[in-house]
Amino acid sequence: MTFTEFEKLPETAGKCELLEGELVELPPAKNRHNEIAQRFFELLRAIPSWPTAGLGKVHHEWGYRIGDGWLQPDVSIAKKDQQADEYYIGAPALAIEVISNEKTADKVDRKIALYFQDGAEQVWVVYPESRRMWVYFSDGTAEVHTVSYNSKLLGVTLDLVELIG
């Protein structure tokens, strides 16, 4: 499927993404998923000033046109001067994906690769069941955190016990 075809689809309940030509339909997120995403969103919005000049607005469920696809991370921070027409074009600086049963490992892995191919600085993948957060960096490295995470990108330390619950 092309982005032009994707854009013409009727609105449905849940979330749709276009991942490398594949339409990915997810049911509406459950309460725990939404609560975790909301906590991350609220925390990021509360940071008074960004230590890195390259960061823009914080978004919840915002879509990004990446290549001929469309990805919608649970929470994201756009780049400061993110190119846009009707939609943001390109990957956000930071994408946060909260894992639920409907998100397969293969699709999440493909999304991470696309975010980085299109210029993301970091991708955080949050696993509510194991209470872990994997932090992926653009240089191909990754770290796992369970209690806290000191984000150099944001200049804050995150209390993961409180955020993930």
Side-chain angles (χ1 to χ4, degrees):
M1 174 179 282
T2 67
F3 180 76
T4 303
E5 294 168 327
F6 175 78
E7 196 175 28
K8 292 178 183 175
L9 291 174
E11 288 190 34
T12 59
K15 179 175 172 178
C16 290
E17 294 181 312
L18 184 60
L19 180 59
E20 299 174 318
E22 176 188 355
L23 178 63
V24 178
E25 296 179 280
L26 299 169
K30 294 183 177 149
N31 283 341
R32 184 165 185 218
H33 179 106
N34 283 327
E35 288 169 359
I36 292 168
Q38 187 68 28
R39 284 194 291 265
F40 272 91
F41 173 74
E42 289 172 358
L43 174 89
L44 296 180
R45 286 212 45 208
I47 297 172
S49 61
W50 297 111
T52 304
L55 298 179
K57 293 180 179 179
V58 178
H59 298 289
H60 183 261
E61 294 288 340
W62 210 271
Y64 294 82
R65 185 167 177 192
I66 299 177
D68 197 34
W70 174 263
L71 298 180
Q72 192 175 7
D74 295 303
V75 179
S76 61
I77 300 176
K79 296 171 187 159
K80 183 176 182 180
D81 297 316
Q82 185 96 31
Q83 185 181 11
D85 50 24
E86 292 182 357
Y87 311 104
Y88 277 134
I89 299 171
L94 170 65
I96 302 173
E97 296 284 350
V98 179
I99 297 303
S100 56
N101 290 338
E102 295 78 20
K103 291 184 178 179
T104 67
D106 174 64
K107 286 185 175 66
V108 172
D109 185 59
R110 288 166 50 201
K111 287 174 72 169
I112 292 168
L114 286 172
Y115 287 134
F116 286 127
Q117 285 173 15
D118 214 55
E121 293 183 43
Q122 292 183 9
V123 177
W124 299 353
V125 181
V126 179
Y127 292 88
E129 293 304 314
S130 63
R131 293 180 170 81
R132 295 180 184 185
M133 182 174 85
W134 279 88
V135 178
Y136 295 87
F137 301 93
S138 59
D139 67 2
T141 61
E143 304 171 348
V144 65
H145 299 272
T146 56
V147 176
S148 65
Y149 171 56
N150 182 15
S151 172
K152 291 175 181 51
L153 178 67
L154 305 179
V156 297
T157 298
L158 306 174
D159 181 345
L160 298 178
V161 175
E162 182 180 315
L163 286 167
I164 300 172

